[in-house]
Amino acid sequence: MKRLSVLKWVPPFARGSVKEFRVRWALEEAGLSYEERVLTPEDQDAAAYRAVQPFGQVPVLEEDGFALFESGAIVLTIAEKSEALLPRDERGRARAIQWMFAAVSSVQPSIDQVTALDFFYPEEDWAKLRRPGAEEFLKRRLGQLAGRLEGREWLEDRFTAGDLMMATVLRDLRHRDFLAGFPALAAYVTRCEARPAFRKALADHMALYAEAAKAEAAA
């Protein structure tokens, strides 16, 4: 049985964005079952966990004594075993993989800059000076991606692991209205979120934090 490491608690803004979620989604798209390994901060710092994840982060996917970390690497490994995520033809596979890399290398850094300013440094003077430039670059990047999706349902001719990775990256902007300015991107994310595998993965991910959410609402 595959075992996926997940966090017992994360702050509300991170729920739905923890990178183990994209692995859950990939497993659901591929029709692969798994169980959770729920980690506390102490578990993350334990030597046994650091032996398989040197940075103490999630996700790690374990099976038959083999452990793999980094969400992109895990999703690619899952996708290579599933035609639901990667086409069989060589060029189709290569194009899907290129979009996986584009999501984490060309799009995610610009989003991470803005979200870090929003969540961690909103009142810092240096952050207020940095924000206009960071947002301008992000909008430029989103416009470039929107140009690719104009008139398209998916990044290529069908849903692939490239779309899965790209959608999880774009969803990190849901606390702001950036995508409202790019209708092609907003519609694209909506299509991705409508997939049954996405809905199942998100429900399982959010179930981890249901009790915490109740307590926070009552506080």
Side-chain angles (χ1 to χ4, degrees), residues 126-180:
W126 66 265
K128 294 175 182 177
L129 293 173
R130 179 71 189 99
R131 182 172 281 106
E135 293 189 0
E136 180 183 358
F137 183 79
L138 171 58
K139 290 175 182 177
R140 187 182 318 139
R141 195 55 104 210
L142 293 176
Q144 292 163 344
L145 181 60
R148 171 64 181 186
L149 282 162
E150 201 66 51
R152 289 176 175 270
E153 187 174 12
W154 309 112
L155 291 167
E156 293 294 333
D157 59 358
R158 47 155 288 193
F159 178 86
T160 71
D163 296 294
L164 184 152
M165 293 293 288
M166 190 66 76
T168 59
V169 167
L170 292 173
R171 290 187 75 253
D172 286 348
L173 290 172
R174 63 191 184 279
H175 70 291
R176 298 276 299 276
D177 61 354
F178 282 107
L179 295 189

Side-chain angles (χ1 to χ4, degrees), residues 119-131:
F119 289 122
F120 301 116
Y121 312 106
E123 301 305 324
E124 298 287 342
D125 288 340
W126 66 265
K128 294 175 182 177
L129 293 173
R130 179 71 189 99
R131 182 172 281 106

Side-chain angles (χ1 to χ4, degrees), residues 53-106:
Q53 217 304 355
F55 310 106
Q57 299 172 324
V58 298
V60 169
L61 189 65
E62 301 171 85
E63 185 178 27
D64 298 331
F66 176 71
L68 188 65
F69 70 91
E70 284 298 327
S71 62
I74 298 171
V75 170
L76 179 56
T77 300
I78 294 167
E80 287 176 335
K81 301 175 182 178
S82 171
E83 192 177 357
L85 290 167
L86 281 182
R88 286 183 178 176
D89 68 284
E90 183 177 353
R91 291 187 177 183
R93 291 168 67 87
R95 285 194 296 269
I97 292 170
Q98 83 179 347
W99 285 112
M100 294 181 67
F101 280 84
V104 297
S105 298
S106 295

